[in-house]
């Protein structure tokens, strides 16, 4: 269940030309979701204070941008995907088939020890789960590795800008959904990363 990715040239260029306040804010949000914010809190606070005091002093802004870009580069080299700091995971109760009219789609998630598998589609949740079972089994056979599925969830989802909205379906029990919601609250980056390609 990795939340990691190496940086690309596009990421570095984006850092160089993004608004300094936006960059600082995104970095702060990202770090708060990793559980590593304590390590960087003093530095982030210092940059924020310096920027507020600097006014139109471009030299200070350039220096802070350079230091902030280096921090982001360091985090990417550690494997973190900083673009996830722009996204929000919203867990929004239960829905039924009428939500299809609100652009929601079905998705089934299997949570393994170190990975999240998912399948989205127009079939019902049970059929999607069967397809995903076969897909996981095929992957296990081809890699000759054992995968233990710890949890299965039958959900509705919708992308709304930077928000990923997930809701329980009629196939999902209340207890399972409460457990899933708690996991999402504890580690939203994990699920945002695992479901990044969910469109």
């Amino acid at each position: 269940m990795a939340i990691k990715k190496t940086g690309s040239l596009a990421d570095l260029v984006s850092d160089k030309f993004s608004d300094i306040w936006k960059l600082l804010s995104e970095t702060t949000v990202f770090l708060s979701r990793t559980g590593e914010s304590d390590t960087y809190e003093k530095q982030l606070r210092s940059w924020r204070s310096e920027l507020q005091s600097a006014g139109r002093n471009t030299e200070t802004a350039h220096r802070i941008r350079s230091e902030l870009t280096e921090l982001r580069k360091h985090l990417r080299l550690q494997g973190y995907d900083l673009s996830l700091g722009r996204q929000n995971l919203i867990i929004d109760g239960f829905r039924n088939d009428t939500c299809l009219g609100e652009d929601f789609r079905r998705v089934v998630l299997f949570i393994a020890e170190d990975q999240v598998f998912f399948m989205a589609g127009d079939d019902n949740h049970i059929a999607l789960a069967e397809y995903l079972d076969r897909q996981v089994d095929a992957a296990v056979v081809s890699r000759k590795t054992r995968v233990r599925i710890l949890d299965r969830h039958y959900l509705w989802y919708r992308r709304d800008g930077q928000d990923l909205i997930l809701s329980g379906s009629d196939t999902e029990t209340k207890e399972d959904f409460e457990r899933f919601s708690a996991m999402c609250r504890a580690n939203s980056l994990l699920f945002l990363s695992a479901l990044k390609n969910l469109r």
Side-chain angles (χ1 to χ4, degrees):
M1 290 201 249
I3 58 170
K4 301 191 168 189
K5 163 193 138 166
T6 56
S8 68
L9 182 59
D11 292 329
L12 298 174
V13 169
S14 174
D15 286 357
K16 186 162 177 65
F17 294 104
S18 290
D19 175 75
I20 184 74
W21 283 104
K22 182 180 174 191
L23 204 59
L24 183 56
S25 177
E26 282 177 9
T27 306
T28 303
V29 168
F30 177 83
L31 288 169
S32 72
R33 292 178 179 173
T34 64
E36 293 190 38
S37 57
D38 291 348
T39 308
Y40 301 99
E41 185 179 356
K42 186 177 177 185
Q43 182 61 64
L44 293 167
R45 199 176 315 119
S46 171
W47 284 332
R48 184 167 268 102
S49 175
E50 281 186 77
L51 281 172
Q52 287 171 340
S53 301
R56 296 181 184 268
N57 184 334
T58 56
E59 199 173 297
T60 301
H62 285 301
R63 178 183 53 77
I64 292 172
R65 176 187 298 282
S66 175
E67 292 171 3
L68 187 52
T69 301
E70 279 303 308
L71 170 61
R72 290 172 65 88
K73 182 178 172 184
H74 170 73
L75 291 168
R76 285 190 186 102
L77 288 172
Q78 288 183 324
Y80 287 111
D81 181 352
L82 274 72
S83 70
L84 299 176
R86 290 181 227 127
Q87 297 180 26
N88 299 303
L89 182 61
I90 299 169
I91 306 301
D92 190 24
F94 280 83
R95 296 181 189 279
N96 58 34
D97 288 2
T98 60
C99 72
L100 288 165
E102 302 168 14
D103 296 327
F104 277 86
R105 294 190 65 210
R106 291 178 184 91
V107 64
V108 174
L109 267 64
F110 290 179
I111 301 172
E113 293 168 326
D114 62 352
Q115 197 170 358
V116 174
F117 299 94
F118 72 87
M119 178 161 289
D122 296 323
D123 289 323
N124 67 49
H125 285 97
I126 301 301
L128 288 174
E130 290 170 358
Y131 297 144
L132 187 53
D133 258 328
R134 288 195 293 272
Q135 200 174 65
V136 170
D137 287 345
V140 167
V141 169
S142 70
R143 289 189 223 149
K144 297 180 179 157
T145 58
R146 188 171 164 269
V147 173
R148 193 171 128 231
I149 303 299
L150 305 174
D151 243 343
R152 296 168 187 256
H153 296 282
Y154 308 88
L155 308 168
W156 292 99
Y157 81 94
R158 184 178 77 191
R159 288 272 180 194
D160 187 7
Q162 296 292 344
D163 296 338
L164 172 59
I165 304 166
L166 296 174
S167 297
S169 73
D170 292 337
T171 312
E172 179 88 353
T173 69
K174 183 180 179 196
E175 294 76 22
D176 287 347
F177 190 66
E178 285 173 359
R179 190 172 59 254
F180 176 72
S181 299
M183 287 188 288
C184 289
R185 282 191 302 274
N187 198 344
S188 63
L189 280 182
L190 175 96
F191 290 98
L192 286 170
S193 177
L195 301 174
K196 190 171 182 176
N197 296 323
L198 183 62
R199 297 285 170 227

